[in-house]
Structures are given as structure tokens and as C-alpha cells.
Amino acid sequence: MKNFFNKRKFEIIGGLIGLLGGYLYWRYVGCVSGTCPIKANWYTMVPYGMLFGILFGGLIKPKEKSKSEH
């Protein structure tokens, strides 16, 4: 289990930041009229924020060295 978290720490941290970012975006920017299907409700915006955070965390993760490069 510890190995899983060590390999995926950038995605996990990105997902948590995305959760917070999705909530804050809904709270302070959002959609005032309620006609925006994603931004109108917190329970749709927060998972989208988490998804984008996970994807961004995967993009900034440094590449692992292969065993033949040592």
C-alpha cells in the first residue's frame, strides 16, 4: 500500500488540490443563473476539479529511471 502512495503521490496531491479548487470555483465563480449543468452544483463541479487535478498531477510527475540506466 505504501508503494502505491509513493508511486502516485503527484496524482493524489493533484486530486486533493483539484477537489479544493473545484469547490472554490463553484463557491466564488460558479453559475449564478443555474443554467450551467456542470458549474451550477457543487457535487458536479468538485469531481471535475478532482479529475483535472489528477490529470495535471500526472503531467508534472517526474519520469522514473529504468533499471538499465543505473
Side-chain angles (χ1 to χ4, degrees), residues 2 13 34-35 40 49-50 55 60 63-67 70:
K2 188 175 183 180
I13 293 170
T35 58
M50 182 180 75
L55 293 174
I60 63 170
K63 293 194 177 218
E64 296 178 7
K65 292 183 180 179
S66 65
K67 294 186 181 199
H70 291 282

Side-chain angles (χ1 to χ4, degrees), residues 40-69:
N41 302 310
W42 69 269
Y43 51 84
T44 56
M45 192 61 207
V46 170
Y48 276 102
M50 182 180 75
L51 177 65
F52 286 122
I54 291 170
L55 293 174
F56 185 71
L59 287 175
I60 63 170
K61 179 171 59 171
K63 293 194 177 218
E64 296 178 7
K65 292 183 180 179
S66 65
K67 294 186 181 199
S68 63
E69 292 180 9

